[in-house]
């Protein structure tokens, strides 16, 4: 089921949460609303859900105007960051709740709940209470409860924000696999760039109530249209007018054209990856990203002097148009 938002504006007093926002979410897609706190992403999600009414603009769901349709009639499933579980109900009863209030047949409810328990990998936990589950298990229960009523659209507001890093990584992989199975049009809010790029097929980057850019993860990383997207999607060094990805910064042992002298302040080894933090003569700090083998081959050491040269950089013109500069043809060239 496709979703189109056209010219949505939402103000809270003097604060403009949404400023002429328009997006398109294809049928069956998994789309991330990505941006810093206060960018408007959660407000946009609530407008799509019908939990907030836009001051202007409209929301189209599968071709029909849902702007004035109450939330309970939009066919939307909503999952919040903090599960909102019924503590006095078992996992089974929590999942069945939406079906029960819709007066579904008991046999149908039992079959649907058992199907969902298997889908979210909670076999053996149906008779437990939320307090007896881990954070990841409670979030999977919340997703099963939202899916129970077979929503046309699934909306997730920072679904993994309250969980630790390892559980978040596990659940986002699980969400990707779940989406591939159920094919429900899904939108989730996150401020985590890695999460958005790993899970979503489409990312809407938001900043200060506006959409900066929409596209596939690779397009946003490789072809950012604004300085904000360049800085927000993936790590970047800024040197004058140039934006340089750390993996595009090569370190040479001898002076070379377009290379700047730099002192290695710190070397951080993160398994396969090595992060080399550099101090330039004018006091600016930048960093280079390389493999462990590359760092060992170059015999890099803290306190050593090297020469940093970008292989390529992104420059944004005065009119905001981006330009890629290829500064050296190959490593060591």
């Amino acid at each position: 089921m496709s979703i189109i938002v056209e010219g949505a504006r939402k103000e809270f007093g003097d604060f403009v949460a949404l400023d002429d926002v328009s997006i398109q979410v294809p049928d069956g897609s998994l789309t991330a609303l990505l941006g810093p706190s206060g960018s408007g992403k959660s407000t946009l999600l609530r407008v799509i859900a019908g939990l907030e009414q836009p001051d202007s603009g409209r929301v189209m769901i599968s071709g029909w105007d849902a702007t004035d349709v109450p939330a309970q009639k939009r066919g939307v499933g909503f999952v919040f960051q903090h599960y909102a579980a019924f503590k006095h109900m078992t996992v089974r009863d929590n999942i069945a709740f939406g079906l029960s209030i819709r007066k579904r047949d008991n046999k149908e409810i039992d079959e649907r709940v058992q199907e969902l328990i298997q889908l979210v990998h909670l076999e053996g936990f149906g008779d437990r209470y939320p307090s007896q589950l881990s954070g990841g298990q409670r979030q999977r229960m919340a997703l099963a409860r939202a899916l129970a009523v077979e929503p046309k659209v699934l909306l997730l507001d920072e679904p993994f924000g309250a969980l630790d890093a390892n559980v978040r990584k596990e659940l986002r992989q699980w969400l990707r696999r779940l989406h591939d199975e159920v094919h429900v049009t899904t939108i989730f809010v996150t401020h985590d760039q890695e999460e958005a790029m790993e899970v979503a097929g489409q990312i809407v980057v938001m900043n200060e109530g506006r959409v900066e850019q929409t596209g596939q993860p690779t397009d946003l990383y490789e072809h950012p249209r604004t300085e904000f997207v360049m800085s927000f999607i993936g790590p970047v060094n800024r040197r004058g007018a140039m934006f340089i990805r750390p993996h595009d910064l090569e370190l040479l042992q001898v002076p070379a054209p377009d290379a700047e002298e730099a002192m290695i302040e710190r070397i951080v080894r993160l398994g396969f990856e090595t992060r080399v933090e550099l101090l330039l003569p004018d006091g600016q700090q930048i960093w280079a990203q390389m493999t462990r083998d590359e760092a060992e081959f170059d015999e890099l050491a803290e306190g050593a002097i090297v020469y940093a040269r970008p292989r390529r950089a992104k420059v944004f013109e005065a009119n905001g148009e981006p330009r890629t500069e290829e500064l050296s043809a190959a490593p060591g060239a």
Side-chain angles (χ1 to χ4, degrees), residues 24-38:
Q24 293 189 27
V25 178
D27 179 30
S29 68
L30 179 51
T31 295
L33 304 181
L34 174 66
S37 297

Side-chain angles (χ1 to χ4, degrees), residues 182-199:
V182 299
H183 299 294
V184 174
T185 303
T186 302
I187 306 175
F188 74 99
V189 163
T190 183
H191 62 270
D192 186 323
Q193 299 94 322
E194 182 180 336
E195 184 170 279
M197 295 187 75
E198 182 176 335
V199 175

Side-chain angles (χ1 to χ4, degrees), residues 146-315:
L147 289 169
V149 295
E150 299 181 281
K152 300 170 184 174
V153 176
L154 183 60
L155 305 178
L156 313 175
D157 192 1
E158 297 272 10
F160 311 136
L163 305 173
D164 65 51
N166 286 337
V167 176
R168 280 205 311 271
K169 189 170 184 65
E170 176 188 327
L171 279 183
R172 63 196 190 205
Q173 293 170 347
W174 172 82
L175 177 62
R176 178 78 252 182
R177 292 193 301 269
L178 177 69
H179 179 264
D180 290 342
E181 288 187 45
V182 299
H183 299 294
V184 174
T185 303
T186 302
I187 306 175
F188 74 99
V189 163
T190 183
H191 62 270
D192 186 323
Q193 299 94 322
E194 182 180 336
E195 184 170 279
M197 295 187 75
E198 182 176 335
V199 175
Q202 172 177 267
I203 300 175
V204 178
V205 181
M206 299 189 66
N207 181 39
E208 297 183 343
R210 296 190 177 194
V211 174
E212 290 273 343
Q213 188 174 345
T214 299
Q216 296 179 347
T218 302
D219 291 335
L220 295 176
Y221 187 85
E222 298 290 348
H223 307 291
R225 293 179 191 160
T226 69
E227 292 186 10
F228 177 83
V229 175
M230 181 79 198
S231 301
F232 197 74
I233 302 291
V236 69
N237 297 300
R238 184 165 186 177
R239 188 66 176 154
M242 296 190 299
F243 291 78
I244 308 158
R245 297 290 188 195
H247 59 76
D248 284 328
L249 190 65
E250 63 177 328
L251 303 183
L252 309 175
Q253 301 293 336
V254 296
D258 299 318
E260 289 188 273
E261 180 180 295
M263 184 186 75
I264 298 176
E265 279 197 309
R266 186 167 179 245
I267 298 175
V268 183
R269 293 176 174 84
L270 303 168
F272 175 77
E273 175 193 335
T274 296
R275 175 187 175 115
V276 183
E277 298 177 0
L278 305 162
L279 180 65
L280 299 177
D282 61 5
Q284 182 178 346
Q285 294 174 312
I286 60 175
W287 65 282
Q289 181 184 43
M290 57 182 59
T291 68
R292 178 183 58 199
D293 290 345
E294 287 172 334
E296 291 177 353
F297 180 80
D298 290 340
E299 298 182 342
L300 300 178
E302 294 179 1
I305 299 299
V306 294
Y307 298 87
R309 177 172 67 174
R311 300 186 182 102
R312 65 184 60 82
K314 189 78 70 176
V315 175

Side-chain angles (χ1 to χ4, degrees), residues 77-87 89-91 94-95 97 122 129-147 154-165 167-168 171 174:
F78 206 106
V79 178
F80 296 92
Q81 177 177 343
H82 298 287
Y83 330 115
F86 296 111
K87 297 178 182 179
M89 291 184 181
T90 64
V91 169
N94 263 282
I95 296 173
F97 179 76
L122 286 177
Y129 291 89
S131 62
Q132 297 173 305
L133 303 178
S134 68
Q137 289 168 340
R138 286 197 295 271
Q139 192 59 289
R140 295 208 304 270
M141 179 193 71
L143 283 162
R145 189 175 61 187
L147 289 169
L154 183 60
L155 305 178
L156 313 175
D157 192 1
E158 297 272 10
F160 311 136
L163 305 173
D164 65 51
V167 176
R168 280 205 311 271
L171 279 183
W174 172 82

